[in-house]
Each structure stands twice: as structure tokens, then as C-alpha cells.
């Protein structure tokens, strides 16, 4: 790989990257990879919540061709991730009214980038994404966000349901944007701490996350079935800002 590659390959380099607290999005491990170092990599991943995937050997061969990957590769992160509770504490310490976005099942990096750009421009304090099921935020996402992903805190959490519960425990109202409800986004109260949950356009918000949501609101729509998630987020955020003013 070139010096610009986001990957670290080889058993010892990957282990050293983990032990030196290098920012890592995920680790790929061949299903045939065995040995003490592989076991230690998996153990450390479990201890410090680094997502690793056991993949067919062919996947690594295609990705790294003739390079000596030794059955393991780590995808380094292009951005810094923040602890959700740390961001909540910082917002409350400043005396500001919290505004968070929670993305459930949104995997297209261009959508995430566009959402981050809108969120940064409208005063969102952080975006919450799951550790699993969300695309790694690399150069394409940063470009789509016009750099906003480098300035807006992104909280990547091991469990989205637990994160939503934490938001509620901190006094933050968690609302979902959903097509099948009676209440309009214009009715979202402007004077409350708020976390907006946005689901993927095709499947919406997952059932387990829906169970933790306090209330649902819909975006007015005519002639089409749904908005792209980045457009839906922009419309909702703009309405929230209007309600708060």
C-alpha cells in the first residue's frame, strides 16, 4: 500500500497500532488466520471496542493483491471520534440547549457527509452513529461534508439503543422522524434538549431503537413516497431551528 493508504497491513504492525491507541475504524481478519498475535488482536479489539470482521481469505487477496498482509489489516480512521457522555457534559457545562442527531442504518458516506455539513451549519452539537452498520468515514465522506466532519463531534457508539437510553438519562428528549404518524415536525417543542433520530430511507428506524423513542414526527410531503435521508435531516433541522427561535 502507498503512504496515503488508510490501511495498516500485517500482524505485528496492526497489533502495534492497537497498542499505541491509533484511531482504527475496523480490522479485517482472514478466517484462516491463526496464532498468538491473531488471538491477541481479537482480545484487544473486544476489550477496547474495536470492530473486527472475520472475512474470507479472497477478500484480503483482492484488496491487497501481492502484499504480505499475513491475514490481517486495519482500516485507520480519518476523523477523531468522541465519547457521547463527554460531549453531553461539555454542552451542559456551557449552558447550551443540546441538539444531537442519531443516525440509524444510514450507510451511504455521501449522505452522512451531507448531513454533517447541514448539522454543522445549523448548530448541532454532535452526530451519533453505530460502530457496526455504518460506513467508515474516510476521504469521500469528509469531501461530501465540505470539511464539517473534521469540526463537528462524531460519537461512534458500540450500541445505538444504549446510546439513546443514555441521551434520555441526561434529560434529552429523543424524537424520531417517521412517515406514519400524525404529528408534524412544526410541532416539535423548541425549548427542550433534543436528539433527532433519522433512519435509512429504505428501512427507516430499527424496531429496537423505535422502542426507546419518546415521540415521532413527520415531514410534510406530497407526490413522492419519501425524502433522501440527508434532505429529510436538513428539513427537520431547519424546522427545529425555527421552532427554537
Amino acid at each position: 500500500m502507498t503512504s496515503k493508504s488508510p490501511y495498516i497491513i500485517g500482524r505485528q504492525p496492526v497489533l502495534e497500532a492497537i497498542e499505541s491507541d491509533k484511531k482504527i475504524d475496523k480490522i479485517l481478519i482472514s478466517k484462516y488466520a491463526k496464532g498468538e498475535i491473531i488471538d491477541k488482536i481479537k482480545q484487544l479489539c473486544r476489550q477496547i471496542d474495536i470492530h473486527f470482521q472475520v472475512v474470507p481469505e479472497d477478500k484480503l487477496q483482492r484488496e491487497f493483491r501481492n502484499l504480505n498482509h499475513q491475514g490481517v489489516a486495519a482500516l485507520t480512521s480519518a476523523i477523531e471520534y468522541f465519547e457521547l457522555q463527554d460531549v453531553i457534559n461539555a454542552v451542559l457545562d456551557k449552558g447550551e440547549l443540546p441538539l444531537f442527531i442519531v443516525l440509524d442504518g444510514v450507510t451511504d458516506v455521501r449522505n452522512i457527509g451531507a448531513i454533517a455539513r447541514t448539522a454543522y451549519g445549523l448548530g448541532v452539537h454532535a452526530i451519533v452513529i453505530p460502530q457496526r452498520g455504518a460506513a467508515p468515514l474516510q476521504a469521500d465522506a469528509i469531501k461530501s461534508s465540505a470539511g464539517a466532519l473534521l469540526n463537528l463531534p462524531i460519537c461512534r457508539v458500540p450500541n445505538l439503543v444504549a446510546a439513546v437510553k443514555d441521551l434520555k438519562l441526561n434529560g434529552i428528549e429523543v424524537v424520531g422522524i417517521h412517515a406514519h404518524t400524525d404529528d408534524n415536525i412544526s410541532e416539535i417543542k423548541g425549548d427542550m434538549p433534543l436528539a433527532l433520530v433519522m433512519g435509512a430511507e429504505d428501512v427507516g428506524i430499527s424496531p429496537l431503537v423505535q422502542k426507546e423513542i419518546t415521540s415521532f414526527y413527520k415531514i410534510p410531503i406530497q407526490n413522492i413516497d419519501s425524502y433522501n435521508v440527508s434532505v429529510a435531516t436538513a428539513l427537520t433541522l431547519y424546522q427545529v431551528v425555527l421552532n427554537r427561535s
Side-chain angles (χ1 to χ4, degrees):
M1 308 300 285
T2 69
S3 60
K4 293 182 180 179
S5 171
Y7 281 100
I8 297 170
I9 63 171
R11 299 184 179 202
Q12 194 62 40
V14 169
L15 179 59
E16 290 174 1
I18 298 171
E19 292 179 332
S20 64
D21 294 326
K22 192 170 183 67
K23 295 182 292 182
I24 296 174
D25 269 329
K26 67 177 179 179
I27 293 175
L28 304 177
I29 302 174
S30 167
K31 67 178 182 179
Y32 296 119
K34 306 293 181 184
E36 183 179 342
I37 293 181
I38 294 296
D39 291 341
K40 189 169 184 180
I41 288 171
K42 290 179 179 179
Q43 180 185 14
L44 288 172
C45 285
R46 294 186 182 103
Q47 286 177 356
I48 57 180
D49 284 329
I50 295 177
H51 176 45
F52 72 88
Q53 291 178 283
V54 177
V55 299
E57 180 74 16
D58 288 350
K59 180 176 177 65
L60 291 172
Q61 291 296 98
R62 288 194 306 270
E63 185 73 38
F64 306 110
R65 299 181 184 176
N66 297 323
L67 295 173
N68 186 23
H69 55 72
Q70 299 175 310
V72 63
L75 177 62
T76 57
S77 175
I79 68 170
E80 180 181 359
Y81 293 107
F82 291 77
E83 292 291 332
L84 177 57
Q85 190 61 55
D86 290 346
V87 178
I88 294 172
N89 291 344
V91 174
L92 296 177
D93 288 346
K94 291 178 183 177
E96 297 178 356
L97 194 60
L99 179 56
F100 289 79
I101 294 175
V102 179
L103 299 182
D104 181 14
V106 180
T107 58
D108 189 300
V109 294
R110 291 165 297 183
N111 277 331
I112 296 175
I115 288 168
R117 184 177 186 181
T118 301
Y120 187 56
L122 290 176
V124 169
H125 291 108
I127 295 176
V128 182
I129 62 173
Q131 191 175 76
R132 302 190 182 195
L137 302 182
Q138 298 294 325
D140 287 347
I142 293 171
K143 182 177 179 181
S144 298
S145 76
L149 282 170
L150 300 176
N151 297 292
L152 176 68
I154 307 297
C155 303
R156 190 174 62 167
V157 297
N159 186 303
L160 206 58
V161 172
V164 169
K165 289 180 178 180
D166 287 341
L167 287 163
K168 292 194 295 184
L169 286 172
N170 282 274
I172 297 172
E173 187 88 0
V174 178
V175 306
I177 304 307
H178 198 292
H180 307 294
T181 187
D182 294 328
D183 295 326
N184 194 292
I185 56 173
S186 62
E187 300 173 61
I188 298 175
K189 294 179 181 179
D191 59 351
M192 63 181 180
L194 189 65
L196 300 173
V197 182
M198 310 297 300
E201 186 177 357
D202 52 348
V203 296
I205 301 168
S206 62
L208 288 176
V209 174
Q210 284 192 40
K211 289 181 180 179
E212 299 299 328
I213 292 175
T214 308
S215 52
F216 291 90
Y217 297 88
K218 65 181 178 181
I219 301 170
I221 192 169
Q222 297 180 18
N223 304 322
I224 57 174
D225 293 331
S226 63
Y227 292 111
N228 170 278
V229 65
S230 64
V231 173
T233 304
L235 291 169
T236 304
L237 279 177
Y238 183 68
Q239 183 65 62
V240 167
V241 171
L242 286 179
N243 293 357
R244 286 189 165 191
S245 64

